[in-house]
Amino acid sequence: METLGYLIDGFGVALAPHNLMFALIGAFLGTLIGALPGLGPANGVAILIPLAFTLGLPPETALIMLTSVYAGAMYGGRISSILLNIPGDEPAMMTCLDGYPMAQKGKAAEALAISAIASFMGSLIATIGLILLAPLLAKFALTFGPAEYFALFVLAFATLGGITGKNPIKTVLAAALGLMIATVGIDSTGTQRYTFGVLELYEGIDFIIAIVGLFAISELLFFIESRAGDGKGPMKVNKLTLSFKEVREIMPSSIRGGVLGFIAGVLPGAGASLGSFIGYTLEKKVVGKKGYFGEGDPRGVAGPEAGNNGASSGALVPMLTLGVPGSGTTAVLLALLISMNITPGPLMFTQNADIVWGVIAALLIGNFLLLLLNIPLVGIFVRLLSVPPKYLLPIVTMVAFVGIYSISNSAFDLYFMVAFGVFGYFLRKLEIPMVPIILGLLLGPEMEKNLRHALDIADGDWTVLWSSGLAIGLWVVAFVGLVLPYIVGPILRRRMNAARQSAE
């Protein structure tokens, strides 16, 4: 009953006219961003964070808008998968397997509608799971001491690459880079670290600048290089003729995919890519020989779409309750919270209950808004795929520059943002992931603070870090998370690639 009361209060926040308006704007912009191949939700949210500061939005409104962008981008990723056979982001890859064959058969509208309904179901199931699980996990996290929190941060870094990550060693290298950048500035004892006499570095490096540079600016540079000459246009969308019977047939697939996706989103190191993959794989096993997967089976669209959208909402659970992001996009949202002087974690459910439950209620409302947007207005999103990047990129660049300048009115920050963008561009050329760098930058200060606190309590005795059963459990999970990608990862990646190649 207590949770229900908080949720009702959350609807009071989410249904405020200005919050509802920004949820709709976020859902629309997110779908547009998701429809563009290669951008993805993390880049989309990073690009629009400066807009939240430029408009001077309060924390709850900014978070509602950007979580709506996140959800919208997960919906939008299916559009280019179905019409171009190019995933909008990695989790949408499995949608290509049956979505594109449906489009080739003249059923593009049906594939887009089925994927929208499945995305809705997956996200709705995961949001209900978030409502039920998050308060319980937040209460449990109140028992954590500094040693347990340090072990939790180690766990976050150990599972960062995920079992579908390409190169765990590069992930560890990226996390180390992030932790190194986090040490710049004056520490808690008043000692200067790596400031080189530059006044602007005394307070450390602003992670919002780093995020916009590493995600948005590097993506722009990468986008210009890789897609400037890409003239491939989308298929034409036929008139929608989806029947109620066809919708009913995909419902079991959507429910199964949503449940599996939510579990994958909550688990450390799993993520939306795994949610999408297991959603598709399970459907093939359940349907068996009755299906025609790889040739345009609607259940092959519904399963992975419900899985990746379920995982995206599930990834919010560890971010809100523990302050540890469950995905790249939630790492960017975590940065937004910290920049607005809001500390994510178990205390957020009591100290900032209006923000937490306002966002959760907005997710429920946003799911219905996205379903309404993605079926009747899909033609608008399809036409966006034909717009040359040379018209879109200047707008994105302008939003990033104006937003960063509005935060501090400092030209130094703009130069720093561009420097991070160039740095991120070269890292991406080397296939070094961006998310671990951001996570190191975000969690580094808290990790150091908890380590110092734990050692102060124990008079410098390092064994305090594994002195409790809970801490030992977290260290064991961290070790398993670090080793598992080397064992399971190659097998999963081979199966995902085999499924894609067989469909092609």
Side-chain angles (χ1 to χ4, degrees), residues 36-199:
L36 293 171
L39 273 181
N43 290 312
V45 174
I47 289 167
L48 293 176
I49 275 183
L51 183 63
F53 286 100
T54 303
L55 298 175
L57 300 180
E60 64 275 11
T61 306
L63 199 57
I64 284 171
M65 183 185 79
L66 291 173
T67 48
S68 298
V69 171
Y70 178 23
M74 296 304 294
Y75 269 70
R78 78 200 199 287
I79 296 174
S80 58
S81 296
I82 291 169
L83 299 181
L84 296 175
N85 202 28
I86 301 173
D89 56 357
E90 188 181 350
M93 185 184 75
M94 303 306 293
T95 309
C96 296
L97 303 184
D98 283 281
Y100 189 66
M102 283 186 72
Q104 288 178 311
K105 292 178 180 178
K107 295 184 176 181
E110 285 78 6
L112 290 167
I114 286 168
S115 61
I117 294 167
S119 296
F120 168 78
M121 288 301 300
S123 191
L124 182 65
I125 289 167
T127 306
I128 293 170
L130 171 63
I131 293 168
L132 298 175
L133 181 60
L136 299 176
L137 190 57
K139 286 180 181 178
F140 174 67
L142 289 172
T143 63
F144 284 26
E148 287 77 17
Y149 264 110
F150 179 78
L152 179 67
F153 291 140
V154 173
L155 168 62
F157 284 110
T159 57
L160 196 55
I163 57 178
T164 57
K166 293 180 181 178
N167 193 324
I169 294 175
K170 288 183 177 180
T171 301
V172 173
L173 174 63
L177 278 172
L179 288 170
M180 288 169 63
I181 295 170
T183 62
V184 174
I186 299 176
D187 72 359
S188 57
T189 64
T191 304
Q192 292 184 31
R193 300 187 295 195
Y194 312 113
T195 57
F196 305 107
V198 179
L199 184 63

Side-chain angles (χ1 to χ4, degrees), residues 219-273:
E219 179 63 36
L220 294 175
L221 297 173
F222 210 81
F223 198 67
I224 290 169
E225 180 191 50
S226 60
R227 300 205 177 274
D230 189 356
K232 186 178 181 182
M235 288 186 177
K236 290 184 179 180
V237 179
N238 58 296
K239 186 177 180 181
L240 180 62
T241 57
L242 191 67
S243 66
F244 178 76
K245 181 183 176 183
E246 289 172 302
V247 174
R248 190 178 60 197
E249 286 176 352
I250 64 157
M251 277 299 163
S253 303
S254 302
I255 294 169
R256 285 191 291 266
V259 172
L260 287 172
F262 175 71
I263 295 169
V266 173
L267 290 175
S273 296

Side-chain angles (χ1 to χ4, degrees), residues 322-455:
L322 302 174
V324 175
S327 67
T329 314
T330 52
V332 179
L333 291 172
L334 178 67
L336 174 72
L337 286 172
I338 295 172
S339 67
M340 291 185 164
N341 296 319
I342 297 171
T343 304
L347 293 177
M348 189 177 173
F349 279 77
T350 53
Q351 296 174 352
N352 302 103
D354 56 331
I355 295 176
V356 175
W357 290 102
V359 168
I360 292 173
L363 278 173
L364 284 171
I365 296 168
N367 284 331
F368 288 93
L369 292 176
L370 281 164
L371 184 64
L372 294 174
L373 281 173
N374 275 268
I375 293 181
L377 300 183
V378 72
I380 295 174
F381 303 125
V382 169
R383 282 193 288 274
L384 179 72
L385 296 177
S386 303
V387 178
K390 64 182 180 181
Y391 298 123
L392 297 173
L393 295 177
I395 297 172
V396 173
T397 308
M398 181 189 69
V399 169
F401 273 81
V402 171
I404 290 298
Y405 189 76
S406 68
I407 295 173
S408 61
N409 297 319
S410 169
F412 180 86
D413 288 349
L414 295 180
Y415 296 136
F416 223 37
M417 178 186 70
V418 173
F420 268 110
V422 175
F423 179 54
Y425 169 77
F426 285 111
L427 289 176
R428 291 187 61 179
K429 295 292 283 185
L430 296 170
E431 296 187 346
I432 294 175
M434 299 291 103
V435 173
I437 299 175
I438 295 303
L439 197 64
L441 191 56
L442 287 173
L443 300 185
E446 281 296 311
M447 193 174 183
E448 180 184 5
K449 186 176 79 173
N450 281 283
L451 176 60
R452 285 178 181 267
H453 192 188
L455 292 176

